[in-house]
Amino acid sequence: MKIRQRAIVIPDQHFPFHSEVALNVVVKAMVMIKPQILVNLGDVGEWSSVSPWQYKGNRKRPPLEFVLPEVDKEIEAVNAGLDKIDQAAKKAGVKKKYMCTGNHDIWLDNFVERYPYLKEYTFNKACKLKERKYVVYKYNQPLTIGKVTFIHGAYHTVYHAKRHLDAYGSSVIYGHTHDVQSHSLTKLGGTISAHALGCIKDMSADKNEWLRGRLHNWSHAFGIVDWFTNGDFKVEVVEIHNGKTSVWGKLIDGNA
């Protein structure tokens, strides 16, 4: 069998709270491997400016004129991150781009539901996904290519790879959990597997308010998927350590 096509799969970026060195590794790897397909697993932005968690309890929502400048600032930062990914995709000769909308991304859509006259602030429009030529999939709408399905991620249990495999009943690749985990299952019909691909989010205690210095099992990583002519596929989970990794024996340094 021959390799029919290849994809690079990018998990949660959470711009502008991303790791710049991890992102550098991903874009350098993309140019190196020259995939035909780019799959972005979503949570492109942190979207803290429209987070529903800001106004829990007794905290009141401020007037819109105070919120919009922060939303605009975050949209600008997220688009700058997408620009970097898209520039690398163009250089690599990527033919198809898919966006699997994440749970953070839909906070923008929820914001527009609250202020329906701000239609330009939906996730799709704010991030110019049509102009960027992404095929957009709704939050956890399955994107199936060959014999594997991509989603943002639906479960956050300890053994989430097994949980996703049990729920979907077919091979699945996802982000959402920010850690690397895999689980496989073989039955009479063959083997299926689930793979969590980590994240590109900054994990340093001084920049990540969510972690607040806690120990965690997050990992910087991305995926390379090859499909064979019969639809079978191979997943390579590429972990990034201190801004460095290796792909096919070649060192990629995101610090340089």
Side-chain angles (χ1 to χ4, degrees):
M1 292 184 291
K2 296 181 178 180
I3 295 175
R4 182 167 62 90
Q5 56 188 359
R6 172 172 294 142
I8 188 165
V9 188
I10 307 176
D12 309 37
Q13 300 108 79
H14 291 270
F15 296 121
F17 300 130
H18 64 291
S19 165
E20 189 66 23
V21 292
L23 181 64
N24 288 343
V25 168
V26 172
V27 297
K28 286 183 177 182
M30 191 181 336
V31 173
M32 173 189 160
I33 69 174
K34 294 179 170 50
Q36 294 86 7
I37 297 170
L38 162 63
V39 178
N40 192 316
L41 292 177
D43 276 4
V44 176
E46 178 70 19
W47 303 122
S48 55
S49 60
V50 292
S51 169
W53 302 105
Q54 290 193 75
Y55 310 112
K56 294 294 184 181
N58 296 322
R59 188 177 181 189
K60 293 183 178 180
R61 189 182 300 270
L64 184 59
E65 58 264 31
F66 291 98
V67 175
L68 271 182
E70 294 302 314
V71 181
D72 289 337
K73 182 179 178 181
E74 196 164 13
I75 287 173
E76 182 179 0
V78 173
N79 274 290
L82 281 172
D83 286 345
K84 189 168 183 177
I85 291 173
D86 288 345
Q87 287 163 8
K90 183 177 180 180
K91 188 174 181 180
V94 170
K95 303 299 182 184
K96 297 179 181 178
K97 297 190 291 185
Y98 297 96
M99 177 66 70
C100 298
T101 304
N103 56 296
H104 279 241
D105 301 321
I106 62 173
W107 291 352
L108 268 180
D109 296 338
N110 296 339
F111 175 70
V112 173
E113 285 185 8
R114 185 177 182 87
Y115 304 103
Y117 47 89
L118 296 176
K119 299 184 187 299
E120 296 303 311
Y121 283 82
T122 62
F123 174 55
N124 286 10
K125 291 184 178 180
C127 293
K128 308 172 185 175
L129 297 181
K130 183 177 180 180
E131 293 89 333
R132 295 178 184 278
K133 298 182 180 179
Y134 280 87
V135 178
V136 181
Y137 280 70
K138 297 178 181 179
Y139 178 44
N140 282 336
Q141 176 187 1
L143 160 64
T144 301
I145 304 175
K147 296 181 182 179
V148 63
T149 293
F150 300 88
I151 57 169
H152 171 68
Y155 306 103
H156 214 298
T157 58
V158 174
Y159 303 109
H160 50 80
K162 183 179 186 301
R163 181 71 179 90
H164 279 85
L165 199 62
D166 289 342
Y168 284 84
S170 63
S171 294
V172 61
I173 296 174
Y174 61 98
H176 188 53
T177 60
H178 295 188
D179 64 334
V180 170
Q181 192 177 114
S182 296
H183 184 77
S184 61
L185 177 65
T186 302
K187 293 188 176 182
L188 290 177
T191 299
I192 56 175
S193 56
H195 306 271
L197 294 188
C199 68
I200 307 298
K201 188 173 184 180
D202 194 294
M203 299 186 293
S204 56
D206 60 331
K207 293 185 179 179
N208 197 311
E209 293 185 9
W210 191 88
L211 289 175
R212 299 184 185 275
R214 292 177 294 181
L215 293 176
H216 60 86
N217 63 340
W218 292 6
S219 296
H220 287 152
F222 64 97
I224 301 172
V225 180
D226 284 340
W227 285 269
F228 304 104
T229 50
N230 67 344
D232 286 344
F233 66 96
K234 185 205 78 171
V235 181
E236 185 174 349
V237 181
V238 184
E239 296 189 60
I240 303 168
H241 299 282
N242 297 317
K244 296 179 181 179
T245 194
S246 63
V247 174
W248 307 339
K250 182 177 180 180
L251 175 67
I252 299 178
D253 189 348
N255 301 283

